[in-house]
Amino acid sequence: MNLIQSFKNFPRQITAFLQPNDLSKVAALYTHDEWPRLRFAHRYQSHFAPLKWKKLKILAIGIGGYEDHTIGGEALKTWKTYFPNSMIYGIDIVDKRYLEEDRIKIFYGDQNDESFTKDILSEIGGLDIIIEDGSSANEDHIKAFYKLFPVLNEGGIYAAENIHHSYWPSLGGKWSDFGKENLWLQSWVKLGGSLDLNDPKTVMNMFKRLVDGLNYEEFINPGYTPSYFDRNIVSLHFYHNLVIVYKGNNNEDSNFIENNTLQPFVLEMLGVNSLDELGLEFPKIKQQAE
């Protein structure tokens, strides 16, 4: 950081020193052109404050700055400052290893490379917080969640940022013609979003389906087998452009359902001896990827 930037940051450093538990104040230390890199700091505050002094392993996918060496890594530095006892890891498809410092380790590679991520996870071990802000493509968001959520430790938190591309039209039709000569704009039209708010291929609809899984014990559907995500997600928190998912043991019993069928006392109240007598049709419930 140059002398001018240090001088600009001095008031922020004083504020962050006086209010170290305020994540927004800490994030303001690391800015570029007056823009805080950690734009969701105010959302993360209530989720991360109870964990501040713990010894955690935090993985951030996407470091920022693209090939520009003057920016990038602001969020990593924010996490390092806010979590003084934690180890911060970063992944980026652009080589950002020059940003490494004490308690910040950076891996250079593609988040969709199975061998690359397997080696990283083998080295790091279980994680406590994962912040996904890498590829904006819906397919990549979904793959990342299915692959990385299982490696979270019990009580871990998974955050998916910048999911607005769920709502952008997919490549096809006239949309493909926009930005033909601009590779950056072309990448936008390949994001796999949809104008259909119920399109199952979008990351937002993946998270919507996970909400039902919170209540799998309440499904009236004999023979239903809960998925890994049914059993290991205890809450989801939705914000504008951000979803936060908590990992835990989702095993709270239902008051009326057991093994996805009505308990005998409920059947008795209905005046029947079995679920079959109700003449219900049970739709096949599509499982989340294991």
Side-chain angles (χ1 to χ4, degrees), residues 130 132 141 144-145 148-149 152 156-160 207 243-246:
I130 298 173
E132 208 284 292
H141 262 298
F145 179 79
L148 296 174
F149 184 82
L152 277 174
I157 298 174
Y158 187 101
F207 285 122
V243 178
I244 295 177
V245 187
Y246 279 72

Side-chain angles (χ1 to χ4, degrees), residues 105-117:
K105 181 172 179 58
I106 294 172
F107 299 96
Y108 167 43
D110 186 344
Q111 69 183 73
N112 290 316
D113 184 330
E114 295 288 340
S115 177
F116 169 68
T117 53

Side-chain angles (χ1 to χ4, degrees), residues 44 48 58-62 79 129-133 157 159-161:
Y44 288 132
F48 292 166
I58 301 170
L59 174 65
I61 303 173
W79 299 131
I129 296 175
I130 298 173
I131 299 155
E132 208 284 292
D133 185 27
I157 298 174
E161 296 184 355

Side-chain angles (χ1 to χ4, degrees), residues 49-185:
L51 307 174
K52 177 175 173 60
W53 301 104
K54 293 184 179 293
K55 188 175 182 179
L56 308 173
K57 292 180 182 178
I58 301 170
L59 174 65
I61 303 173
I63 295 173
Y66 301 98
E67 287 81 8
D68 189 339
H69 279 218
T70 66
I71 56 176
E74 293 86 356
L76 297 182
K77 295 173 184 177
T78 300
W79 299 131
K80 175 184 172 179
T81 301
Y82 186 75
F83 295 104
N85 300 311
S86 296
M87 184 68 193
I88 315 302
Y89 301 93
I91 294 175
D92 205 283
I93 200 168
V94 175
D95 192 353
K96 295 285 183 176
R97 288 175 291 184
Y98 61 88
L99 293 170
E100 285 190 341
E101 56 186 65
D102 178 47
R103 293 198 295 113
I104 293 179
K105 181 172 179 58
I106 294 172
F107 299 96
Y108 167 43
D110 186 344
Q111 69 183 73
N112 290 316
D113 184 330
E114 295 288 340
S115 177
F116 169 68
T117 53
K118 184 178 180 180
D119 289 344
I120 288 174
L121 295 175
S122 177
E123 177 178 340
I124 297 174
L127 292 158
D128 300 291
I129 296 175
I130 298 173
I131 299 155
E132 208 284 292
D133 185 27
S135 168
S136 296
N138 280 265
E139 182 181 4
D140 294 342
H141 262 298
I142 292 169
K143 285 180 179 178
F145 179 79
Y146 286 150
K147 178 169 52 181
L148 296 174
F149 184 82
V151 306
L152 277 174
N153 294 324
E154 184 83 0
I157 298 174
Y158 187 101
E161 296 184 355
N162 295 323
I163 57 175
H164 57 285
H165 295 119
S166 285
Y167 307 105
W168 291 23
S170 299
L171 182 66
K174 291 184 178 180
W175 180 245
S176 304
D177 296 331
F178 291 100
K180 255 184 181 177
E181 307 304 320
N182 187 310
L183 292 177
W184 187 58
L185 291 177

